[in-house]
Amino acid sequence: KNEVEQSPQNLTAQEGEFITINCSYSVGISALHWLQQHPGGGIVSLFMLSSGKKKHGRLIATINIQEKHSSLHITASHPRDSAVYICAVKRGYGGSQGNLIFGKGTKLSVKP
Amino acid sequence: GAVVSQHPSRVICKSGTSVKIECRSLDFQATTMFWYRQFPKQSLMLMATSNEGSKATYEQGVEKDKFLINHASLTLSTLTVTSAHPEDSSFYICSARVQGSINEQFFGPGTRLTVL
């Protein structure tokens, strides 16, 4: 079993729909990242969370440390939101190097 | 969020040549930068961790003599793929950790390397 699991793997939505992507992890973490990767490959850092909730425009990210679970929500989805969304967790605390564990990504396709 | 740039964004080279990829943190200082590789339809895989002023730490299975990393300043790390072969064709992504932070880490847009 992977240490970081995302669901669903693929998601197709109609423009305007509310979208939720889930991320569950099995290790102790100090932070969780949500990344967006467009078809050309470029990666954009969306959020870094260690607790609670963050909002940026139409994107909302939440994390429940006790349940080891995070969700990424997109409100009023748009075709330009079509991308692969990746959850990555930073293992543990302290000065450990790197140690980002990546989920396999959720491929989102928003149809007009 | 903070900005990390990579150059070039795309490179095509002949087998046997060397290719240098630059990673820059544009508006913050980064004592630590990370180099990842991503093959099609797969997750990012950490190749090495680069610390300013010291030798890089390579992950198991990554040849340090093939993938040369130099982190000469707090805003620049370079990855040189030496004697590139077609199997080195991949998407290379860098990430930079904000100096003084253990969690704040921002990703570059990636470099697509194609070796003919």
Side-chain angles (χ1 to χ4, degrees):
Chain A
K1 188 176 187 294
N2 294 327
E3 292 170 304
V4 179
E5 294 273 2
Q6 285 185 238
S7 62
Q9 286 187 333
N10 293 283
L11 180 56
T12 301
Q14 285 298 127
E15 184 173 357
E17 284 185 5
F18 180 83
I19 287 161
T20 296
I21 299 170
N22 296 298
C23 176
S24 296
Y25 52 91
S26 57
V27 296
I29 70 167
S30 60
L32 182 144
H33 296 255
W34 280 104
L35 310 170
Q36 180 191 55
Q37 186 169 31
H38 282 283
I43 287 182
V44 175
S45 297
L46 298 176
F47 294 105
M48 187 197 72
L49 293 163
S50 52
S51 65
K53 176 179 173 178
K54 286 189 176 179
K55 184 177 190 293
H56 182 71
R58 294 181 295 108
L59 301 178
I60 303 166
T62 63
I63 188 168
N64 185 317
I65 297 292
Q66 286 73 32
E67 294 186 4
K68 292 189 163 69
H69 181 269
S70 175
S71 292
L72 176 68
H73 305 285
I74 305 174
T75 61
S77 59
H78 191 276
R80 64 175 175 266
D81 297 326
S82 299
V84 175
Y85 291 84
I86 302 168
C87 169
V89 302
K90 183 166 188 307
R91 191 197 298 268
Y93 290 86
S96 27
Q97 308 265 23
N99 290 334
L100 273 186
I101 308 169
F102 294 87
K104 292 187 175 180
T106 294
K107 186 175 181 181
L108 172 65
S109 207
V110 182
K111 307 292 185 190
Chain B
V3 179
V4 175
S5 71
Q6 278 185 243
H7 178 80
S9 58
R10 190 179 293 267
V11 59
I12 300 172
C13 69
K14 292 182 179 179
S15 187
T17 60
S18 293
V19 174
K20 181 186 281 190
I21 303 169
E22 291 187 349
C23 176
R24 291 181 187 272
S25 57
L26 297 186
D27 49 2
F28 65 99
Q29 292 186 323
T31 44
T32 304
M33 290 186 174
F34 307 95
W35 287 96
Y36 299 89
R37 181 167 50 184
Q38 185 183 36
F39 290 108
K41 298 189 187 300
Q42 296 193 17
S43 295
L44 282 73
M45 296 297 295
L46 180 66
M47 298 175 66
T49 301
S50 163
N51 290 299
E52 187 263 337
S54 64
K55 289 184 179 179
T57 304
Y58 290 81
E59 295 299 299
Q60 194 172 10
V62 178
E63 299 174 59
K64 62 181 180 182
D65 294 329
K66 182 168 182 63
F67 298 100
L68 301 179
I69 291 172
N70 185 286
H71 192 156
S73 77
L74 289 172
T75 58
L76 173 65
S77 176
T78 61
L79 168 69
T80 302
V81 184
T82 62
S83 187
H85 288 280
E87 57 266 29
D88 298 323
S89 298
S90 187
F91 193 58
Y92 292 86
I93 302 156
C94 77
S95 173
R97 181 187 287 163
V98 176
Q99 185 181 29
S101 171
I102 61 169
N103 288 329
E104 284 190 284
Q105 186 173 335
F106 298 95
F107 287 79
T111 296
R112 186 161 302 281
L113 170 63
T114 302
V115 184
L116 303 176

